[in-house]
Amino acid sequence: MTFGRKGVVTDELDLSGAAHLLQGSREFLRMWARPGGPATCLVDPAALGADPALLGIALVDCARHGARAWANATGITEAEALARIWFGMDAERQSPTDLGKEVH
């Protein structure tokens, strides 16, 4: 699979309305999920910096933005959505379903 070209992955997110938010930014993470299967995550550490803690900070930001998105899409509160996100993160930390693979 070739990355970096629009249309390579089905159901690609449309970023056209977010261009003003992305100015001056560097992409560091892409994620996909298969129904009933594992998530695929591609991470570029160079885009964030030398300290892996920066990825942790970004993932917490992602969880909070995700909670808002779930709340807007489903009508549950952000607090309820965030609690479920933390639940899922804690469950995955306790018993990983995917240990990941290196991509070259």
Side-chain angles (χ1 to χ4, degrees), residues 4-95:
R5 292 192 335 246
K6 181 144 179 71
V8 173
V9 178
T10 59
D11 296 329
E12 189 172 332
L13 292 175
D14 179 5
L15 303 178
S16 60
H20 65 287
L21 298 172
L22 304 177
Q23 291 176 344
S25 299
R26 296 177 69 185
E27 184 176 57
F28 65 91
L29 172 68
R30 285 193 180 198
M31 294 184 75
W32 297 267
R34 287 193 178 143
T40 298
C41 311
L42 300 178
V43 180
D44 178 8
L48 282 174
D51 187 351
L54 296 170
L55 179 60
I57 292 167
L59 292 174
V60 170
D61 288 346
C62 180
R64 294 183 190 285
H65 288 281
R68 181 169 297 137
W70 248 272
N72 288 335
T74 65
I76 64 173
T77 68
E78 281 186 46
E80 290 169 314
L82 190 56
R84 290 297 296 160
I85 291 169
W86 294 141
F87 174 84
M89 287 180 150
D90 290 341
E92 184 66 16
R93 286 182 61 185
Q94 294 296 319
S95 182

